[in-house]
Amino acid sequence: MATSPLTAAIPGILRRPAAPAPGIVHLGLGNFHRAHQAVYTDAAITTHGGDWGIIGVASRSTTIPDAMHAQDMLYTVVEISPKGSGFTVPRVHTDAFTAAADPDRVAKAIGDAGTRIVSLTVTENGYNYTPATGSLNLQDPAIRHDLAHAGSPQTPIGQIVRGLQHRSRSHGEPVAILSCDNLAGNGHHTQRLVREFASLLPAAEAAEALAFIDARTSFPSSMVDRIVPATTDHYRRMVASHRGYDDRIPVPAEPFSMWIIEDNFISGRPTWEDGGAVFSDEVAGYEQLKVRLLNGTHSLIAYLGALTGAVTIPESVSHPSIELAARSVLRHEYLPTVSVPRDVDVDAYEEELFTRWRNTALGHRTSQVGSDGSVKLRQRIPLPALQLLDDGGMPQLLALTTAAYLACIAPLRGFDPGPQAHAMDDPARALLAGLAAGSRSGHDLARKVIGDHHLLGEELAERDAFICRTGEFIDIIHTAGPLAAITEAGTPVSLASAPALQTTRSTP
């Protein structure tokens, strides 16, 4: 059966007759944003109205902006579960364009008086900072370019600062900068980087920009959570079959979605709670819960799975040894370092995580979850590892996570980690591969990567015991395989042997 392209003229697919006027500029027009913040914003506008339309800004690729313009700014969110699929079409984007093609337009959109929120989903790597220090990476050519060329900023931090300068010099209206990326204290982290960039401008510019930032901007923190795989032809065919139209850019997503937000918006906000968002004074606790229990455990599942040949996360976690390792790192190494929010039942939270990871209908790939580990692991491993080391223990599975990552991205000579590992993207792959090529053993590699190059920060670089243990796991993976490394880590012999989770935890 022939199908027609998705447009606003198709009857019965839209909840509202028109898109709202713009009030949000969003940097990072990828699948996650379109299945998360956009869905919450659509629900808020449908319920309470407001000029909160979103101008979506893609970084480099024109694929999504071009498709959105061809489809009246519409796309389909496909909720995938073993029980079946659901389809919705948000109508919240008012425009979409690519920053690389029109860099000055980004700063102008941020600087427009109608913009009251600038939000970001640009991944940890998009903040152009040095993981070891948390400061702006002044050696990054893109940051150096942005400091020197006001009219064509290339980085999100540069784009924000140039937009704030425009606001300061024209109308002076306040604006909130809302990070939705997996960074500890993401609001404070973004504020620090924005101020640091502004302080490096010529003296008069710096003083003007910093005064505006301090008086007329706010930086709320947030925690976001939803599994959103990449779009494939499978989902395009699914939409055509079930909905009767062609959508070039449908977004697959799990049914679960969470958004925890600090209510610190200097110029107002949508009623995101209408879509299920939670405004809380415990965002930091939710961040720890997500970044460590969910993301940290997810990384271990991805790297161990890739090394065993598992293509997807459900395939990986279905292996009994990998599930045991995942539950063990979650319960015994991540959870003791988390300040659990008062309304969270951690036993139920753990079971919910494993239910999500077992969603075979979603097919989240180990190569996708394992990508960008050089940035992600810096957010997930150091603080828990340091706390456990200071308490006299050895974080066996955190060392194994690090070792499995290095075995995937930077294998020693003669070891093939498999196609899923080869498919992982990582900005440090070339550097790490070079270190691996010159290493004689896992200990040698771990010493270079963790100790000399500070992959996991400056403090963990001084912990010889952790570095040695990581090196031992690398050697075991290379000589006997990942399952032997799991056994060496001393995971419980059965799930029943693991103690029940407790709900009171110390803060790192």
Side-chain angles (χ1 to χ4, degrees), residues 298 301 310-319 354-366:
H298 211 189
I301 294 169
V311 176
T312 67
I313 293 296
E315 182 184 350
S316 177
V317 82
S318 70
H319 195 294
F354 278 88
T355 296
R356 295 167 63 191
W357 289 330
R358 291 192 191 101
N359 185 347
T360 54
L362 203 60
H364 208 188
R365 300 177 72 88
T366 54

Side-chain angles (χ1 to χ4, degrees), residues 224-436:
V224 299
D225 189 4
R226 194 174 201 185
I227 295 174
V228 181
T231 298
T232 64
D233 286 340
H234 168 74
Y235 297 111
R236 295 183 181 96
R237 289 192 295 267
M238 181 182 293
V239 170
S241 173
H242 286 79
R243 301 290 278 175
Y245 56 75
D246 289 325
D247 185 348
R248 290 157 56 179
I249 50 167
V251 183
E254 65 172 334
F256 177 90
S257 185
M258 179 182 284
W259 197 5
I260 311 296
I261 315 170
E262 178 187 12
D263 203 353
N264 178 28
F265 292 83
I266 194 170
S267 192
R269 62 168 177 81
T271 56
W272 282 315
E273 55 267 43
D274 291 328
V278 175
F279 288 88
S280 172
D281 60 359
E282 293 186 283
V283 172
Y286 282 100
E287 285 176 347
Q288 291 176 6
L289 205 69
K290 197 265 177 122
V291 170
R292 297 179 192 176
L293 272 64
L294 190 160
N295 295 140
T297 305
H298 211 189
S299 290
L300 180 63
I301 294 169
Y303 296 127
L304 291 176
L307 291 168
T308 60
V311 176
T312 67
I313 293 296
E315 182 184 350
S316 177
V317 82
S318 70
H319 195 294
S321 294
I322 295 178
E323 181 180 354
L324 284 169
R327 288 189 183 271
S328 185
V329 74
L330 185 154
R331 296 179 181 188
H332 303 304
E333 299 188 14
Y334 280 123
L335 184 58
T337 72
V338 170
S339 180
V340 179
R342 53 183 171 267
D343 294 330
V344 173
D345 178 335
V346 288
D347 294 281
Y349 185 77
E350 178 189 2
E351 292 312 311
E352 185 173 53
L353 288 180
F354 278 88
T355 296
R356 295 167 63 191
W357 289 330
R358 291 192 191 101
N359 185 347
T360 54
L362 203 60
H364 208 188
R365 300 177 72 88
T366 54
S367 59
Q368 182 182 359
V369 177
S371 290
D372 296 327
S374 59
V375 181
K376 293 175 179 177
L377 295 186
R378 179 63 180 83
Q379 296 292 320
R380 302 169 187 181
I381 287 178
L383 288 177
L386 288 165
Q387 181 168 331
L388 294 172
L389 289 166
D390 288 343
D391 289 342
M394 169 55 65
Q396 301 280 351
L397 289 154
L398 297 182
L400 177 58
T401 302
T402 308
Y405 160 72
L406 289 172
C408 285
I409 299 297
L412 296 175
R413 187 177 288 109
F415 179 76
D416 184 355
Q420 308 314 314
H422 292 308
M424 293 175 184
D425 293 322
D426 197 294
R429 182 184 280 275
L431 168 66
L432 298 179
L435 296 176

Side-chain angles (χ1 to χ4, degrees), residues 48-65:
H48 278 102
D51 294 336
W52 296 110
I54 301 172
I55 298 173
V57 184
S59 177
R60 296 179 182 84
S61 174
T62 62
T63 299
I64 292 175

